[in-house]
Amino acid sequence: MAKRQFGSDSRADQLKEDLRHLSDTVEELVNATSKDASGEMSDLRARAESRLKKARAQLEARGERLYEDTRETLSDQVDCCDRYVRENPWSSIGIGTAVGVLVGMLLGRR
């Protein structure tokens, strides 16, 4: 499983925004040239529409895969934590108590 680097979320958001702008620009170009009846322009418009649809489908598929992978990973981690708590209840209570005391002390200083 690949680990995400810090800052990759902002790069992913920037990439999504750039692709959205590109998609909008291509759609505007296709719509603006729809009145031009020349064969070459029609061919270019058809290829642009085809590539745009293909890119959107690929991005949607990649997003679905990423969602499913993340969901599976989180589910595995939740199962692991649940199993640990069930196998070691007193350790879990001690850890929870220690975290509670630490958070209480930090909030009490404010």
Side-chain angles (χ1 to χ4, degrees):
M1 185 79 40
K3 300 258 182 189
R4 292 185 78 166
Q5 301 272 336
F6 290 112
S8 63
D9 289 335
S10 62
R11 287 186 295 223
D13 290 340
Q14 182 63 42
L15 179 61
K16 281 194 274 187
E17 189 65 28
D18 290 345
L19 287 172
R20 189 173 299 125
H21 283 2
L22 177 62
S23 172
D24 292 343
T25 303
V26 169
E27 283 183 12
E28 289 174 12
L29 179 63
V30 167
N31 291 334
T33 60
S34 64
K35 295 175 185 161
D36 190 354
S38 69
E40 184 178 330
M41 190 58 86
S42 297
D43 183 45
L44 287 172
R45 186 171 52 253
R47 284 192 304 182
E49 286 177 345
S50 170
R51 289 180 181 169
L52 182 60
K53 287 179 184 177
K54 183 179 176 182
R56 281 185 177 165
Q58 288 175 340
L59 288 173
E60 287 176 7
R62 183 174 288 162
E64 287 294 322
R65 263 184 287 149
L66 182 61
Y67 173 77
E68 289 300 324
D69 289 347
T70 303
R71 186 175 180 177
E72 183 179 319
T73 301
L74 288 175
S75 177
D76 290 344
Q77 290 177 358
V78 166
D79 290 342
C80 181
C81 289
D82 184 55
R83 191 171 41 252
Y84 178 81
V85 169
R86 289 180 188 275
E87 291 173 359
N88 304 300
W90 290 109
S91 297
S92 302
I93 291 171
I95 291 170
T97 302
V99 169
V101 168
L102 181 64
V103 169
M105 288 175 56
L106 291 173
L107 291 176
R109 289 187 175 181
R110 291 183 180 205

